[in-house]
Amino acid sequence: MDSGGGDLRSTIKKWNVIYPVYLNSKKTVAEGRRIATSKACPDPTCIEIADCCSHLKIPHAIELDKAYPRDFFQVGRVRVQLKKDDGSPVNPAIKTKKQLMIQIAELVPKHHGRTKKQESAPSSSTGGSLKNTKGGKKKK
């Protein structure tokens, strides 16, 4: 069984790597962003990127134990298979890594985890924070 896992691991090592920093609109090119700010999304996570790859029917593997070399506090990366062993693209609509990153960056803001957070966060945080700042800080 170890040899089977080793074979899978060796094939995954040949896949392309996508770090969340590549798609982060809050980062500069010097900090590692690889696509235009207008096309990038704020603070993507490995899980969101992997879910987008599933949606696009691209084989992927999440590596949460790996860190971005330029900033080792950015933990996690996703390996994606863009081309089959014979060289043909897995998804004919996506032929290059850059095209994939742009597609993922478009899908991440629509991710079900983000839409739930945005719906619940403004109503609870706005009401609570306004009361705290007006009432609590001015009295003291």
Side-chain angles (χ1 to χ4, degrees):
M1 289 200 184
D2 290 337
S3 64
D7 292 341
L8 180 64
R9 194 170 285 135
S10 66
T11 56
I12 288 175
K13 282 188 175 185
K14 294 176 184 175
W15 293 2
N16 292 37
V17 176
I18 296 181
Y19 288 98
V21 177
Y22 292 175
L23 312 174
N24 194 343
S25 62
K26 295 181 179 179
K27 299 288 183 181
T28 63
V29 171
E31 291 171 329
R33 182 174 41 80
R34 297 242 179 134
I35 59 175
T37 312
S38 59
K39 295 179 182 176
C41 59
D43 299 322
T45 64
C46 290
I47 307 301
E48 292 169 342
I49 293 170
D51 287 346
C52 293
C53 288
S54 298
H55 179 73
L56 294 169
K57 307 219 178 354
I58 302 276
H60 63 279
I62 302 171
E63 297 176 330
L64 293 173
D65 58 330
K66 302 294 184 180
Y68 184 58
R70 290 192 206 173
D71 181 10
F72 54 88
F73 291 114
Q74 297 285 332
V75 180
R77 69 182 181 191
V78 180
R79 284 199 181 259
V80 293
Q81 182 183 15
L82 290 177
K83 295 182 179 177
K84 298 175 188 170
D85 293 334
D86 63 350
S88 63
V90 173
N91 185 342
I94 300 170
K95 294 178 181 168
T96 65
K97 186 174 176 179
K98 192 155 198 160
Q99 286 176 338
L100 176 64
M101 289 190 291
I102 291 169
Q103 290 278 343
I104 291 171
E106 288 174 6
L107 290 173
V108 166
K110 301 172 190 170
H111 189 265
H112 60 86
R114 285 193 176 221
T115 53
K116 286 179 185 175
K117 287 179 190 175
Q118 289 176 355
E119 288 172 4
S120 64
S123 61
S124 63
S125 64
T126 308
S129 64
L130 288 175
K131 289 180 182 176
N132 290 341
T133 53
K134 286 185 178 178
K137 290 186 179 180
K138 288 185 179 178
K139 289 180 182 177
K140 291 181 181 178

